[in-house]
Every structure is written in C-alpha cells, then in structure tokens.
C-alpha cells in the first residue's frame, strides 16, 4: 500500500504575479503533473475527497493564471450529476474558465481531471491519464492570457470522463454559450508518456478541413494523424474521450493523445514514469497547432462573412 504524502498548503495554493520565463513555464508544466498525480489526491475519482482537492488546486491555478469566469456561473464550477452502473447518483463538477478573443465564436480546449481512485488499497494516480492533459491545458491558458486569441477560448477541465464521458456530456447538454458558436474542440487525454516521441492527432478523418493546420515545425516531436477511421474498430479513438460529446453534435475536434502503454490504468501510472522531455515537446506542439487552428478558422469565418454580405 502506498503511504499518503502531504503537500504543503503553500505549494498547492501558491500564486505569483511574476511573468514566467520559458524555463519557468516548462517547470510549471511538470510541477502541475507532479502535484495532481501525487498520493494526496487519492486518484481523483469523481465524487471523492481526492477529486475535491484536485478541483481546489486547478481552481487556484485558474485564478493564478487569470482566467475569467463564465457569466452563467458564480465561479469556475459547473455542477452536474449522473447515475453510476449501480444506480447511485454521483455528483460531479466541471471547471470552466475563458479568455475573450476577437470573435464571439468559441474553441473549447479540454482535458479531464478525474481518474479511477483507489483499488484494492492501491492509489491509481493517473499521471499520464490525465494529469498530463490538465497540465497542458493550464499551459495553454497561461499563454493565451498573454497572447490574445482570435476565438474566445473556453478552458474546460472535465470531471467523470472515466465514468463514461459524463462531464463533457453535461457540458454539451447545457452549454454556457450557444452550441452553434462552438467551432472546435481541442481535447488532450494522455500526452506525457511515449518513448518514440509520437503524439497522435485524431479527428481529421471526419473533419479533413482541419488537416492543413495539424503539424508541428519542431523536429523534436512526431505528430501522427490517425486513430479516427471507423473501420479501425477499437483502434478508432473518435468515441474514446471527451471530444466524443462534441463530435456527437457535429462539432469538429482534434484529440491529442498517445497509444496505450504498460502503465495505462495501472497503479504505475505515476509522475516518475512519464517522459518529461516528450511531454514538454508535446505540449509545445499542441500550443503551436492550437494557435494555427485558431488563426485559420478565424480567417475562414471572416471570408465566409464577407461572402454573405456581398
């Protein structure tokens, strides 16, 4: 059995107004993963104390970064409920913040923060799945607070992905903005653990208009398109993470993730087993691609608006 480690409150809730250098930003990326995947959070299973503690940490980071709260909520939390396979009602909470862009059209950038908790007295910390996605989301949020995007960006840390994509489904059922204004979902789920430097970008099979933007100029990372053809069966990832809820509404998506590894859904999915260099490169590539998608989709909308006027 793992011993529960105590992280000082000052570390969990620390805030700084000092502008971070690139090195500091990379350090923060790894720090966020390490903290969220520590034993303190008890595997972050939806409806548990560990999940509540994880929310408090993510909210503290949202505040530190300076994310705005959506007008329809009093804070960052979006509560929802669902019944598990035993018929028990479970309370979940998504965390939502936004950066206003030049357009009211929206891109939702998402990552789920929950994991599978404690099983047989072992803590399943979910460092790659999906503390990594949340850390990358926080990195992107910090960037776009300093670099105004074209679209308005909603940053969504979804709950209850492991329980059947419940948080994302609740979001699209009761969206905080008009659903037709959401032009894209960029979802990150498992982006820190790959020994070959390969990051998959899923979604261009159904939405080929996104393909020209999905590449990285960096030689440090391999962006591979795929895992999105229905003919692939279980290797089709279209319905295997939170982007599925957006796809069901015909909202285009790009899902970034790695192929399953030896630590997937095991107690060994810990911070010490991620690939820090790969993760840093992957998060930089996701940022690069998100900026390109933001720009290209905005230009397309401007062109279409001019055509309608003429």
């Amino acid at each position: 059995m793992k011993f529960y480690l105590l992280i000082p409150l000052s570390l969990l809730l620390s805030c700084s107004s000092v502008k971070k250098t690139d090195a500091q930003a990379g350090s923060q990326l790894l720090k966020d993963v390490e903290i969220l995947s520590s034993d303190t959070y008890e595997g972050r299973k939806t409806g548990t104390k560990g999940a509540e503690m994880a929310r408090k940490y993510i909210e503290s980071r949202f505040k530190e970064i300076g994310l705005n709260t959506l007008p329809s909520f009093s804070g960052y939390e979006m509560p929802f409920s669902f019944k598990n396979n035993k018929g028990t009602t479970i309370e979940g909470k998504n965390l939502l913040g936004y950066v206003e862009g030049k357009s009211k059209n929206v891109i939702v950038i998402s990552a789920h923060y929950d994991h599978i908790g404690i099983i047989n007295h072992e803590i399943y910390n979910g460092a790659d799945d999906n503390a990594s996605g949340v850390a990358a989301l926080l990195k992107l949020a910090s960037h776009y607070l300093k670099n105004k995007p074209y679209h308005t960006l909603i940053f969504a840390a979804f709950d209850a992905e492991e329980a059947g994509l419940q948080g994302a489904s609740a979001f699209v059922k009761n969206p905080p903005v008009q659903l037709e204004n959401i032009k894209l979902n960029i979802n990150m789920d498992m982006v820190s653990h790959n020994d070959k430097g390969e990051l998959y970008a899923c979604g261009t099979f159904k939405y080929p208009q996104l393909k020209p933007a999905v590449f990285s100029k960096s030689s440090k990372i391999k962006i591979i398109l795929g895992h999105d053809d229905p003919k692939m069966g279980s290797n089709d990832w279209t319905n295997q993470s939170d982007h599925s809820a957006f796809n069901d509404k015909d909202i285009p998506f790009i899902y970034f993730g790695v192929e399953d590894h030896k630590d997937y859904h095991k107690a060994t999915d810990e911070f010490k087993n991620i690939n820090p260099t790969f993760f840093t490169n992957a998060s930089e590539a996701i940022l690069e691609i998100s900026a390109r998608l933001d720009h290209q989709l905005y230009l397309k909308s401007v062109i279409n608006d001019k055509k309608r006027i003429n």
Side-chain angles (χ1 to χ4, degrees):
M1 184 188 301
K2 297 179 182 176
F3 291 102
Y4 289 72
L5 303 177
L6 296 179
I7 295 178
L9 187 61
S10 60
L11 177 61
L12 297 180
L13 302 179
S14 63
C15 294
S16 172
S17 59
V18 179
K19 186 175 180 179
K20 292 182 174 65
T21 65
D22 289 344
Q24 288 173 320
S27 176
Q28 183 65 59
L29 179 78
L30 297 177
K31 177 181 175 183
D32 286 331
V33 177
E34 185 172 19
I35 290 175
L36 284 169
S37 63
S38 68
D39 284 357
T40 300
Y41 297 94
E42 301 177 4
R44 308 185 309 278
K45 186 174 182 178
T46 301
T48 66
K49 179 183 176 182
E52 181 182 353
M53 293 175 67
R55 278 196 300 276
K56 288 181 179 178
Y57 177 76
I58 297 167
E59 286 188 63
S60 75
R61 292 285 289 118
F62 275 19
K63 290 176 183 176
E64 177 184 2
I65 290 166
L67 284 179
N68 299 306
T69 58
L70 289 154
S72 48
F73 301 106
S74 58
Y76 294 119
E77 293 185 355
M78 176 189 179
F80 64 93
S81 62
F82 63 97
K83 291 187 182 296
N84 64 14
N85 54 14
K86 296 180 180 179
T88 303
T89 298
I90 306 295
E91 303 293 332
K93 289 181 180 177
N94 296 328
L95 298 176
L96 310 175
Y98 80 97
V99 176
E100 187 172 3
K102 299 176 182 179
S103 167
K104 293 191 180 299
N105 286 335
V106 172
I107 294 175
V108 177
I109 299 177
S110 62
H112 75 90
Y113 69 88
D114 65 295
H115 194 53
I116 57 177
I118 300 173
I119 301 174
N120 295 327
H121 307 295
E122 278 195 293
I123 304 174
Y124 285 60
N125 282 316
D128 190 38
D129 186 13
N130 186 36
S132 67
V134 176
L137 180 145
L138 294 170
K139 174 185 173 69
L140 266 62
S142 181
H143 170 83
Y144 285 113
L145 249 297
K146 302 180 184 79
N147 301 273
K148 188 178 180 72
Y150 293 94
H151 290 74
T152 291
L153 305 181
I154 293 178
F155 292 89
F158 286 133
D159 196 1
E161 188 271 352
E162 301 286 1
L165 319 182
Q166 299 292 340
S169 297
F171 179 93
V172 298
K173 286 177 183 176
N174 295 287
V177 296
Q178 294 294 320
L179 210 57
E180 58 266 27
N181 287 346
I182 301 177
K183 303 303 179 182
L184 178 68
N185 170 228
I186 297 174
N187 186 43
M188 299 168 287
D189 190 351
M190 297 173 57
V191 292
S192 69
H193 191 155
N194 184 273
D195 295 327
K196 297 183 288 185
E198 296 176 345
L199 180 68
Y200 276 86
C202 165
T204 61
F205 181 88
K206 182 175 179 180
Y207 305 103
Q209 70 274 22
L210 303 178
K211 190 173 181 178
V214 186
F215 68 92
S216 175
K217 294 179 180 179
S218 173
S219 60
K220 298 177 181 178
I221 190 87
K222 301 173 189 174
I223 301 297
I224 303 177
L225 305 181
H227 284 299
D228 51 8
D229 183 344
K231 294 178 183 177
M232 297 181 71
S234 61
N235 281 322
D236 174 15
W237 296 349
T238 301
N239 298 313
Q240 294 189 17
S241 187
D242 290 318
H243 54 276
S244 175
F246 293 86
N247 179 57
D248 287 346
K249 299 293 184 180
D250 290 321
I251 296 170
F253 72 90
I254 294 293
Y255 160 48
F256 292 101
V258 299
E259 292 187 314
D260 289 354
H261 45 72
K262 63 181 179 60
D263 300 314
Y264 172 65
H265 274 204
K266 292 185 171 63
T268 51
D269 184 8
E270 299 183 306
F271 176 73
K272 66 182 180 181
N273 290 327
I274 70 167
N275 307 92
T277 300
F278 168 76
F279 180 37
T280 301
N281 294 335
S283 64
E284 288 291 340
I286 294 169
L287 175 55
E288 175 194 346
I289 293 168
S290 72
R292 192 178 296 121
L293 285 165
D294 176 40
H295 187 210
Q296 291 188 9
L297 290 176
Y298 177 75
L299 289 178
K300 183 178 179 181
S301 69
V302 169
I303 292 169
N304 289 339
D305 286 345
K306 287 181 178 179
K307 287 181 178 178
R308 280 194 293 269
I309 292 172
N310 296 331

